Amino acid sequence: MVRRRRTRVPRAVLLGLLGALLLGAGCFTPILAFPGGGYATLLGGSSVPARMILVGAIASIVLVLLARRRALLITGSFSGLMVLLEFFSRRDALLPLPTSGSPVETVLASFSSEWGWGLLVLGTVFLLIAGALPARSRRVPPSEKANRRR
């Protein structure tokens, strides 16, 4: 019976792939709920930062597969900056003027953020953690240690 050796995937690779997948999925999930029902997604409009987030997610997957984990710090930072830029631009688009006590404020208060923002933030954090984790040195299995002593 041949015993198969189990290979372990490094934690940074798993975090990097998970972060990139969450970031990509966050582009297609609801980020804003409308008062009458219905949702807006990040890619629903023609926003350049939203498309750059998706490009950053795809680039992160490629970097993980090419074992360039340190570069995830760049794509994670870039994607995080784009998420912040998109969040503040959407918030400012909904609240252009101070409208305290008016009916406009009541309508604008009925818009609510959705769970897609959570995916975008988690994906960004996972990418940054994956890029910051130190590279593991290759462990020598016990069978190879015995062969080296001879």
Side-chain angles (χ1 to χ4, degrees):
M1 179 176 194
V2 176
R3 188 174 182 184
R4 290 187 140 191
R5 189 174 141 210
R6 289 178 41 179
T7 58
R8 291 181 54 186
V9 179
R11 197 173 294 152
V13 171
L14 291 176
L15 279 174
L17 286 175
L18 181 62
L21 291 174
L22 285 175
L23 202 60
C27 293
F28 300 100
T29 57
I31 59 166
L32 189 66
F34 296 123
Y39 299 98
T41 63
L42 197 62
L43 291 175
S46 60
S47 170
V48 172
R51 292 179 185 183
M52 290 292 109
I53 293 170
L54 187 60
V55 168
I58 294 168
S60 296
I61 290 174
V62 170
L63 289 171
V64 168
L65 295 177
L66 293 176
R68 304 282 186 204
R69 288 195 326 243
R70 289 285 178 206
L72 292 178
L73 289 172
I74 296 169
T75 59
S77 299
F78 178 73
S79 297
L81 181 66
M82 292 296 118
V83 168
L84 283 174
L85 183 66
E86 188 65 26
F87 178 77
F88 287 122
S89 69
R90 289 192 187 249
R91 187 192 67 167
D92 291 343
L94 288 177
L95 300 172
L97 299 172
T99 55
S100 61
S102 71
V104 174
E105 181 181 298
T106 306
V107 171
L108 290 177
S110 62
F111 286 90
S112 63
S113 294
E114 284 293 318
W115 56 278
W117 290 114
L119 290 181
L120 293 168
V121 169
L122 272 176
T124 301
V125 168
F126 284 172
L127 284 178
L128 292 173
I129 291 172
L133 284 176
R136 289 177 49 185
S137 60
R138 184 178 169 264
R139 286 189 194 175
V140 179
S143 61
E144 288 183 27
K145 283 183 184 177
N147 291 338
R148 287 185 180 179
R149 291 182 190 163
R150 292 182 186 172

